[in-house]
Amino acid sequence: MIIIMLGAQGTGKGTVAGLLSNELNIPQISTGDIFRKNIKEETKLGIEANKYISKGQLVPDDITVPMVSDVLDSDETKNGAILDGFPRTIEQAEKLDEILNKHNKKVDLVINLVTPRDEIITRITNRRVCSNQHCKATYNLILNPPSKEGICDKCGSKIVQREDDMDEQSIKNRLEIYDKQTSPLVEYYNEKGILRTEEISERINRLGKEVADDILKDIKN
Ligand code: ADP
Ligand code: ZN
C-alpha cells in the first residue's frame, strides 16, 4: 500500500505518518528526514541539499527524485510506503507515478491534513525533534512535551529544534512554497478519487492520534 501525506508544514504529517507506519507495518519515508540525516553525516547529497534547505527552498528535482526513486526501488518498500514530504509539486507527483508504474504499484491513498494557519505557526515554533537519527521522535512543547525537559522519552537522546524552524524567514518561505507549489496536489489527487481530507486542530480537539485512529479503522475494515 502506498500512502501519501499531504498538508502544510506543522499540520502533523510526521505524527500521523508515524502512527500509521507502526500500525500498518509499512515504513515511513520522510524526504526531510533523509535530507537531515545526510546533512548531519556531511554526505555529498547532504551538503548540496543544505544549500536549499537552510533557506527554506525546495531541493531541486535532480537531487530529490533519484533519492526517492532509490528508496522505492529498494526492498525496504516492497510491501508499501508512507510518503511524508514527497511529492511537493505536480512534477514530482508525475515522476512518482512513473516510478511506481515500474513496480506495478500506484498511489492508493492521499491523506490531506488541514490546520488553521495561526495554529500552524505556533506548532512550528514549538516543534522539537529527537537528535537521534534512528529515533526521530517529534515533540511539541505545548501539545506533546517530553516528560523530562530536553530529553527524548523514547531513547533518552537530546531533543533539539530544527534549524529551519528557528528562522522566521524560512518558515514563511516554506509556507509560501506550500501554497503555490504543493497545494495544487490536493486537486490533482482529488480528481483521481484517492484524496481523504482531515481537519486536524486543537480548536476541534482533533489531533494526530484521533485522525490516525479513524484512518486505521477504515483501512482495516
Ligand atoms: P517542512 O515540511 O517543515 O518543510 P520537511 O522535513 O518535510 O519539513 O522538509 C525539510 C526541507 O527539506 C524542506 O524545506 C525542503 O527544503 C526539503 N524537502 C523535503 N522534501 C522535499 C521535496 N519533496 N522536494 C524538494 N525539497 C524537499
Ligand atoms: Zn529519541
Side-chain angles (χ1 to χ4, degrees):
M1 177 167 216
I2 304 286
I3 301 178
I4 292 176
M5 301 301 308
L6 264 189
Q9 285 72 15
T11 48
K13 295 191 294 289
T15 306
V16 175
L19 293 166
L20 296 180
S21 166
N22 284 343
E23 284 297 317
L24 299 171
N25 233 322
I26 42 182
Q28 171 186 5
I29 307 296
S30 156
T31 40
D33 283 345
I34 301 175
F35 283 133
R36 280 185 289 278
K37 182 166 183 279
N38 277 279
I39 291 169
K40 205 169 172 196
E41 291 169 358
E42 295 181 358
T43 67
K44 202 166 146 246
L45 183 133
I47 291 165
E48 195 51 36
N50 198 32
K51 291 181 191 161
Y52 304 91
I53 294 179
S54 59
K55 296 188 211 129
Q57 297 167 356
L58 289 185
V59 179
D61 280 359
D62 59 344
I63 301 174
T64 308
V65 174
M67 182 179 90
V68 173
S69 177
D70 279 352
V71 180
L72 290 173
D73 290 344
S74 77
D75 246 17
E76 184 194 357
T77 57
K78 66 174 189 298
N79 295 325
I82 300 173
L83 297 178
D84 166 14
F86 187 93
R88 289 193 192 218
T89 61
I90 298 278
E91 270 181 23
Q92 288 185 357
E94 288 167 351
K95 300 255 174 62
L96 174 65
D97 289 338
E98 284 171 29
I99 298 168
L100 292 174
N101 240 326
K102 276 194 312 193
H103 300 284
N104 288 318
K105 288 182 185 153
K106 58 173 176 41
V107 178
D108 297 289
L109 174 65
V110 179
I111 299 163
N112 175 36
L113 300 180
V114 182
T115 303
R117 201 44 69 96
D118 57 327
E119 260 184 67
I120 282 185
I121 305 279
T122 335
R123 273 201 221 171
I124 298 175
T125 40
N126 287 296
R127 170 157 73 184
R128 297 292 182 275
V129 293
C130 176
S131 57
N132 171 359
Q133 295 294 333
H134 301 287
C135 172
K136 297 183 296 190
T138 59
Y139 296 89
N140 182 294
L141 295 184
I142 296 164
L143 297 175
N144 171 32
S147 29
K148 202 167 155 212
E149 198 186 322
I151 303 291
C152 177
D153 289 346
K154 285 194 192 148
C155 77
S157 302
K158 227 174 88 181
I159 286 170
V160 294
Q161 186 172 28
R162 274 169 47 178
E163 247 165 71
D164 55 350
D165 284 352
M166 289 183 205
D167 179 32
E168 213 175 295
Q169 189 57 46
S170 158
I171 297 178
K172 211 173 139 239
N173 281 354
R174 284 183 286 149
L175 287 169
E176 251 174 51
I177 292 174
Y178 175 80
D179 289 339
K180 283 208 193 97
Q181 294 184 261
T182 310
S183 69
L185 288 176
V186 173
E187 196 41 44
Y188 179 86
Y189 287 119
N190 189 30
E191 276 172 15
K192 293 182 188 282
I194 50 175
L195 187 81
R196 172 173 182 146
T197 295
E198 288 282 355
E199 189 174 350
I200 175 164
S201 158
E202 276 168 82
R203 231 162 281 174
I204 55 166
N205 225 325
R206 190 168 164 77
L207 293 173
K209 177 86 176 66
E210 286 77 35
V211 170
D213 281 348
D214 283 353
I215 295 169
L216 284 166
K217 249 183 250 156
D218 290 345
I219 290 179
K220 286 177 176 168
N221 269 335

